[in-house]
Every structure is written in C-alpha cells, then in structure tokens.
Amino acid sequence: MTSIEAPILILGGTGTVGSRIASQLASQGIPTLIASRNPPPSSSLSHVNFDWDDPYTWEPIFLSKTNSTEGTTTEPEQAQQSSKPQPAPQPIKSIYLVAPPSLSGHRPMIEFIEFARSRGVHRFILQSASSIEAGGPLMGKVHAYLRELGQRGDVEWGVLRPTWFQQNIAEQPTHKESIRSESKIYSATEDGKIPWVSADDIASVAVRALTGEEAPNTEWMVLGPELLSYDEIAEILTEVLGRKIVHVDLSSAELEKRHARFGMPEEYARMMSAMDTAIKFGAENRTNDVIFSVTGTAPKKFRDYAMSVKDVWETRMEGMGLEGKA
C-alpha cells in the first residue's frame, strides 16, 4: 500500500460494492469521497452529488477539498466563509467507476473519464461483470477504452469482472420477497452453476486496485470459492431457515415477464433473462483464486453469508404485522 494524501473517488459510492469500498478505505484512514445522486442515509464520509446524465455535477467533484473522512467543503463555500486565500484543492488520486443503470451508459462514462483525465486523474478502476468481455456491450466498451489508453501509457487502469453477488439473494426484491412470502426462488438457469461472490470480497480487491503502488493494468475475474446452482442455493436456505425453500425453474420468457412485474425496464429485463440462459449452458461454471491472491484472505462462502442475514427472509405472519418462521 502506498501513502495517499489525495482522496479516492468512489462513483456509486452508496451502492452494494461502492459503500463497502468506501468503508474499507475509511477504516485504513485513506481520504475517501463518495459520489452518487443521493447522499447516504448516515455516514461520516465526504459526499458530493453526481449524476452520469448531468455533466454540471461533474466539475464540483474536482473542487472538493478532502483531507479526512469528515464533511466535504467546496471552493465556493470556502470563499463565502473567509476572504483569506484558500489552499488549492487536491486532485483526485484514483476513481472507481460504476456504470449508470441505462443500457447506453458507456457513452457518458467515456466522456467522464476524459473529463477526469483533463483534471489530473491518472488511475481508473472499472467495475464490469464476468459475463461482459472487453469490447462487448455496456461496460465492455469502457473496458476496451481503458485498455487502449493503458496500452498507450496514458492511464493506469484495472477492470474487475465479478460474477453474481451473494447479496442478490437477500437484497434484490425479486429473490428476497419470493423467499419470504412463497419459500421459492426463481431463475431460468436449470442446473447451471455460479461461483457466487461476496460484495465484501469484491470491495477488498477494489481497494487493492485503487491504492496499490502499481495498478493492475489488466482485468481481474472476481469469482467466489464454490460453484452452486440455484437448486443448491435453495438447499442451503432450507437448512439455514429451517423451512423448505424450492427453486422454480422458469423459461427465459417467463423470467423476463417476472422481472418486468418488479418494475425492471423491458430491455434490461430481456438482458437479465438472457444472462440466466447463458448460466444454464455453463457460462459461469468456473472459479479462480483471484480474491486470495490479491487480498491474502480466503473468499467468503454463501452459507456463511446466508447465516449472517437470515432474518431478512423470515416470513411475515399474515394479518399481524409480525415476523415469524413458517
């Protein structure tokens, strides 16, 4: 680890991985700035408003003076507070990039990378996905762009390609609610296996990529330690919760409709359903030792995660507004 004075910028810093990166950085005393459309509900970390679709929110990030994990003050605010000359804001040390929800999100991401480079940022770490190759859709185009810049020596870079998050089972409404109310979990994967990964482990890898003396300058496939099908996930949940949880295998079209019922945009629902079909045919049937080799810590297993959050799947006793086991 290198001594860092300028802050690390975490885009999507209130999200599943971003919030964990910010927490880990802060615990090491590394100045951290989180950027998102909405501030965290409660945090001592510095926050700035950020919207991929609103370039007017980009400039204030580089006016933020962050020397600790306490509140952020922008240059205009400092000028109002004192007529004395103010110190120049420190540059951003490195940036963690998380894509916007829109499927055309690669365009503003590339524009932002160039904007940040013009303000002195030299290291960019992108969160992509195990299913998206460099040059592919969405983050794949940003991946290819960073690689090209890196090959020319214009930036330090890294791309994390994590597989499906363990946290999805407890935090995504489509899974959380069906487990609670129906004791069922739905997919279109048949018996396809996934190396489910902990968001905590992804964050630990990201911290190394953001702060290491040398950037990865490559991609890291971030995979969990064991291959589990949805049937096996259901078996683990059955043991953890003490009631039978069943995996219901849907067709691709049925899963797409299910996603849409939960408010997912049509195009995104179609893409997510296609990813399940790819899993069915073995696209995620792989694992590796990246987490251990980068962090020195063994990756977390799904059963341990399920035990730690099992209360979220407790069934609601009808008509009483109370929680209880079925």
Side-chain angles (χ1 to χ4, degrees), residues 53-230:
D53 296 324
D54 183 4
Y56 288 104
T57 66
W58 299 0
E59 182 67 38
I61 290 173
F62 300 93
L63 299 178
S64 298
K65 176 73 172 178
T66 310
N67 290 319
S68 68
T69 57
E70 297 178 356
T72 302
T73 305
T74 64
E75 269 194 336
E77 291 170 341
Q78 290 175 338
Q80 292 174 6
Q81 293 170 5
S82 172
S83 60
K84 296 180 180 180
Q86 300 296 320
Q90 292 187 30
I92 300 296
K93 176 70 176 182
S94 55
I95 298 178
Y96 192 72
L97 299 162
V98 178
S102 66
L103 296 184
S104 60
H106 70 277
R107 287 190 290 271
M109 291 185 80
I110 289 174
E111 291 172 3
F112 179 81
I113 289 168
E114 287 307 304
F115 185 87
R117 287 181 62 209
S118 73
R119 280 145 181 81
V121 181
H122 193 57
R123 183 179 298 192
F124 299 87
I125 305 300
L126 171 69
Q127 179 179 306
S128 185
S130 59
S131 58
I132 300 178
E133 300 285 346
L138 302 172
M139 297 84 76
K141 292 181 173 60
V142 185
H143 180 166
Y145 185 70
L146 285 174
R147 183 177 63 185
E148 180 183 345
L149 291 176
Q151 289 172 343
R152 297 203 307 253
D154 293 340
V155 300
E156 296 178 333
W157 66 285
V159 176
L160 307 191
R161 293 179 58 195
T163 186
W164 297 77
F165 299 178
Q166 296 173 6
Q167 281 72 14
N168 290 353
I169 306 299
E171 297 178 5
Q172 284 189 351
T174 51
H175 290 321
K176 176 182 175 181
E177 296 306 321
S178 68
I179 294 168
R180 287 183 62 179
S181 62
E182 304 175 55
S183 294
K184 294 177 181 178
I185 186 167
Y186 295 84
S187 85
T189 61
E190 291 189 359
D191 59 355
K193 292 181 181 288
I194 301 169
W196 299 89
V197 67
S198 167
D200 295 305
D201 290 329
I202 301 168
S204 295
V205 172
V207 167
R208 300 310 191 278
L210 289 161
T211 65
E213 186 173 347
E214 295 184 0
N217 294 321
T218 188
E219 65 174 56
W220 282 337
M221 193 80 73
V222 188
L223 310 177
E226 53 190 349
L227 291 164
L228 297 172
S229 67
Y230 272 90

Side-chain angles (χ1 to χ4, degrees), residues 210-253:
L210 289 161
T211 65
E213 186 173 347
E214 295 184 0
N217 294 321
T218 188
E219 65 174 56
W220 282 337
M221 193 80 73
V222 188
L223 310 177
E226 53 190 349
L227 291 164
L228 297 172
S229 67
Y230 272 90
D231 282 341
E232 290 168 317
I233 291 289
E235 290 173 5
I236 291 171
L237 292 175
T238 294
E239 296 170 6
V240 168
L241 299 177
R243 70 178 196 271
K244 182 66 174 177
I245 306 298
V246 177
H247 169 222
V248 180
D249 190 62
L250 303 175
S251 69
S252 179

